[in-house]
Amino acid sequence: MIDRRHIGYETPPFTVEVEKGRLRLFAKAIGETDPKYFDEAAARAAGYASLPVPPTFLFCLEMEQPDPYAWFDDVGIELPKVLHGEQSFTYHRTPCAGEKLTFRAKVVDIYDKKGGLLEFVVQDNTITDERGAAVAEFRRSIVIRHG
Amino acid sequence: MSTPKYSELEVGAAIPSLTQRPITRQTLAVYCGASGDHNPVHVDIDFARAAGLPDVIAHGMLVMAYMGRTLTQWVSQERMRAFSTRFMAMTHIGDAITCTGAVLEKLERDGEKLVRVSISAADQRGEVKTAGEALIALDP
């Protein structure tokens, strides 16, 4: 069982610069055909300062920290047992390549179902820009399968 | 891309669907590097088997990215206010994902006209892998 005292566990804030090359590779990885996601001229023509960060890439940026699974160890989550249960985003604006974004994460709930066979850990992330303004939030719920 | 207007959309209206090529090991290897999600269950069959799975499984977030593409081919991204999904079934090698959605509700909030749309992803047999919603701001 994951110790419920980890509700409230906060990951140290970390800041990452959005890189154009990574956005181009991500566009390729998801089969993106809209040029504004990989061609800077098309992005500018669409009104963006540079390549826009696609809707789910914020989740990927959060994994750019040196060990994105370090908090699993701290909270007592075994990676081989983990599945992604739910994911949600709220957006305040669309960030672009070249921006530095800061992520702050906190475990907001831990609970179990099926008599403890499935445990759930819910983590909230807030994302701010260099001025400290809110860019987005996301929530992930992970499932830990026991048996 | 011609953005639909709030007044033109009715509850029940479908959004344009999007079908992807079947997922290969190569798809997952490229997504692994591109996403920064290096969880070995997606690329290392030895790890996957040790975890009790018959083979590697696709990243749920790859499927959610396909859902995101479905939304951003319909409306420009800055109109998205929220986007959420539940991961309901594992996506396997060879699965060809089709994303579909429809308008669930029209609403006004904070002075904006919004549509709440369903968005889900299913494989070639129709098994739903992920199902969620998005909130989209539209012009009147």
Side-chain angles (χ1 to χ4, degrees):
Chain A
M1 293 285 281
I2 295 165
D3 197 327
R4 282 7 180 204
R5 73 183 166 86
H6 294 300
I7 296 172
Y9 173 90
E10 292 184 36
T11 305
F14 103 102
T15 300
V16 61
E17 181 171 354
V18 182
E19 296 174 7
K20 273 186 277 191
R22 276 294 296 285
L23 292 181
R24 291 196 189 96
L25 181 58
F26 186 77
K28 180 179 177 183
I30 66 169
E32 183 58 75
T33 56
D34 184 341
K36 68 170 175 278
Y37 289 105
F38 48 82
D39 175 346
E40 198 162 23
R44 289 184 192 279
Y48 295 104
S50 183
L51 300 181
V53 173
T56 63
F57 193 73
L58 291 166
F59 180 93
C60 306
L61 284 168
E62 194 271 339
M63 298 198 86
E64 285 301 288
Q65 49 195 309
D67 181 0
Y69 293 117
W71 72 278
F72 279 21
D73 295 336
D74 292 346
V75 173
I77 299 169
E78 297 169 73
L79 184 60
K81 295 183 175 177
V82 164
L83 291 174
H84 203 160
E86 294 183 32
Q87 181 68 34
S88 64
F89 297 89
T90 54
Y91 305 105
H92 304 294
R93 69 177 182 86
T94 302
C96 290
E99 290 195 53
K100 292 189 177 74
L101 301 177
T102 297
F103 290 72
R104 290 178 176 80
K106 184 177 186 176
V107 173
V108 295
D109 201 7
I110 302 172
Y111 59 97
D112 63 274
K113 288 183 181 174
K114 297 189 180 176
L117 272 181
L118 297 174
E119 286 194 284
F120 297 79
V121 178
V122 183
Q123 186 202 49
D124 278 357
N125 269 265
T126 60
I127 303 152
T128 50
D129 62 18
E130 288 165 89
R131 295 173 296 121
V135 172
E137 292 90 36
F138 73 73
R139 167 173 287 192
R140 82 172 121 220
S141 176
I142 62 169
V143 185
I144 299 101
R145 301 172 297 146
H146 298 291
Chain B
M1 179 174 62
S2 149
T3 303
K5 294 201 184 314
Y6 182 83
S7 58
E8 299 166 354
L9 278 179
E10 297 301 333
V11 170
I15 70 174
S17 66
L18 184 65
T19 297
Q20 305 289 333
R21 284 186 205 155
I23 288 170
T24 65
R25 292 172 200 285
Q26 162 83 354
T27 312
L28 301 185
V30 174
Y31 185 82
C32 173
S35 68
D37 184 346
H38 300 168
N39 184 339
V41 78
H42 304 300
V43 287
D44 182 341
I45 193 169
D46 301 326
F47 183 95
R49 285 180 174 160
L53 301 169
D55 199 349
V56 296
I57 55 170
H59 304 72
M61 290 304 291
L62 170 62
V63 181
M64 193 175 189
Y66 292 157
M67 294 164 78
R69 282 192 55 208
T70 309
L71 293 166
T72 61
Q73 74 168 8
W74 181 53
V75 294
S76 58
Q77 186 182 329
E78 59 274 13
R79 293 183 179 278
M80 291 174 67
R81 296 289 174 269
F83 179 26
S84 62
T85 198
R86 279 186 65 210
F87 301 100
M88 303 170 73
M90 294 182 192
T91 301
H92 304 283
I93 301 290
D95 283 352
I97 296 297
T98 295
C99 299
T100 55
V103 176
L104 293 173
E105 183 186 7
K106 297 172 73 170
L107 63 154
E108 293 192 39
R109 198 178 71 187
D110 301 331
E112 282 193 316
K113 294 194 186 302
L114 302 164
V115 288
R116 189 166 63 87
V117 299
S118 64
I119 179 85
S120 65
D123 67 13
Q124 62 283 2
R125 291 175 298 275
E127 184 187 33
V128 176
K129 304 297 191 180
T130 66
E133 291 184 3
L135 201 56
I136 311 286
L138 294 174
D139 294 336

